[in-house]
Amino acid sequence: MESEDDLARSIREDGFLSESLESALPRFREINREWVDFSKDLNRLALRFWIAHDNVVLGRTGMDPVSIACRIMLRALSNFQAAIILAERGLVAEADCLSRGLYEAGFWLGYLSEEPTEAAGAFIADEKNSQKSLLKHLRRIEEATPGVFGLDLAEIDRRISAVGPSKSQDLEELAKKAGHSLFYSTYKRLSSGSAHASLASTYAFMSKNADGTFSGHIFGPDVEGAMSSFSSACHGLILCIAGYSGVLGKTEQDADLIAAFKRYEALSIERDAGPE
């Protein structure tokens, strides 16, 4: 195993692409062993759950609430797995950015569970709004600089009209409709602290003295801070599983999900208590 000095030197040369980082992963995982083990178990539970119900889309249209929920759940699974890979390597802000997406997916799945038809309509309207916003953006550029994209303004106008009625979905309202208003603050924290270029998201790179003054920059794996990233990713995925289960109705995995949530709560209590 390489020394701390060798690892630091390698990271200064290659950053998080350092091959030496791979040899340090077992030690990093050991520091957050309970959360690493829980995230692996939760991932397997989520995969068993999705695979057990992957045929629910048979005979349904792509816009059916169940079909939409199925695809959201599948995306949540890949988001979670990517977040855990990053958290294990100490890429805390990057893991949290993906966890933000897990909460958004959890809000949509919760809404689809509560009001399937209404939520599916809102999901489609939000997508149409995104399409329309992009087309309007392209139109403004093409109008200001003719020929830059080689687009015909009349054709863009036709495509905008073809999109039809659209409406952007407010995330705070979405969380409320999903019954997850309490967790919207977590979503906002992840947004400001990781997803956006902001003072909050860059503050973690500052090296601070005891008196609060700034003494330099920090770069490299944040292994200690990864515990919070594991927690956010796991909680976000739990929301997604619960929402998807609600869309499908009672499932045989519900008891396992309840047990997983109790285990999450126990780990969270230990995390908040800190070292003795």
Side-chain angles (χ1 to χ4, degrees):
M1 182 179 293
E2 296 189 37
S3 68
E4 289 288 341
D5 288 342
D6 290 335
L7 177 61
R9 189 179 305 110
S10 180
I11 289 175
R12 289 187 71 86
E13 291 176 352
D14 297 312
F16 286 96
L17 298 181
S18 165
E19 292 185 4
S20 297
L21 196 57
E22 293 297 320
S23 65
L25 283 180
R27 178 161 51 85
F28 289 177
R29 291 182 179 123
E30 200 57 40
I31 293 172
N32 292 298
R33 172 51 56 193
E34 288 186 306
W35 281 102
V36 169
D37 289 345
F38 177 61
S39 67
K40 305 296 185 186
D41 291 342
L42 183 63
N43 181 59
R44 286 187 173 184
L45 168 60
L47 282 167
R48 289 198 308 271
F49 175 72
W50 189 83
I51 291 171
H53 304 284
D54 66 343
N55 62 349
V56 295
V57 298
L58 296 179
R60 300 178 186 272
T61 68
M63 298 298 102
D64 184 282
V66 174
S67 297
I68 291 173
C70 185
R71 297 196 299 276
I72 293 175
M73 186 64 208
L74 188 57
R75 185 183 180 197
L77 281 166
S78 60
N79 265 26
F80 175 76
Q81 291 155 15
I84 296 305
I85 289 171
L86 292 172
E88 286 183 326
R89 285 155 177 76
L91 282 151
V92 170
E94 292 72 20
D96 288 348
C97 189
L98 289 168
S99 293
R100 170 182 177 266
L102 280 169
Y103 276 86
E104 184 175 353
F107 296 160
W108 276 114
L109 288 166
Y111 187 16
L112 284 161
S113 174
E114 295 293 326
E115 298 289 345
T117 303
E118 180 180 294
F123 190 75
I124 295 167
D126 186 71
E127 169 62 23
K128 287 183 175 181
N129 188 73
S130 295
Q131 294 177 16
K132 190 176 291 185
S133 295
L134 174 59
L135 288 168
K136 288 180 177 179
H137 171 71
L138 293 175
R139 192 188 194 290
R140 286 194 296 271
I141 295 177
E142 190 68 36
E143 190 172 32
T145 313
V148 65
F149 291 129
L151 300 174
D152 180 72
L153 292 181
E155 173 60 17
I156 296 177
D157 289 338
R158 186 197 66 76
R159 290 169 62 184
I160 290 173
S161 179
V163 170
S166 65
K167 180 183 179 183
S168 176
Q169 177 61 58
D170 178 76
L171 264 294
E172 186 172 8
E173 179 187 3
L174 177 63
K176 182 178 180 180
K177 289 181 176 181
H180 295 322
S181 292
L182 183 64
F183 306 127
Y184 178 70
S185 59
T186 304
Y187 169 84
K188 289 294 291 182
R189 175 182 61 78
L190 293 170
S191 295
S192 64
S194 61
H196 302 306
S198 64
L199 285 174
S201 66
T202 58
Y203 196 64
F205 296 103
M206 296 173 63
S207 178
K208 297 170 285 296
N209 299 315
D211 62 0
T213 58
F214 171 54
S215 61
H217 293 92
I218 301 172
F219 177 71
D222 183 2
V223 184
E224 299 293 338
M227 183 184 293
S228 177
S229 294
F230 281 112
S231 176
S232 296
C234 289
H235 187 249
L237 185 61
I238 287 172
L239 290 184
C240 290
I241 300 172
Y244 190 39
S245 178
V247 171
L248 301 180
K250 188 175 178 60
T251 71
E252 61 271 24
Q253 287 80 29
D254 286 356
D256 292 334
L257 177 59
I258 292 172
F261 182 67
K262 289 180 178 179
R263 186 177 166 191
Y264 168 82
E265 286 186 312
L267 285 174
S268 297
I269 292 171
E270 291 181 18
R271 178 202 63 201
D272 295 338
E276 294 183 359

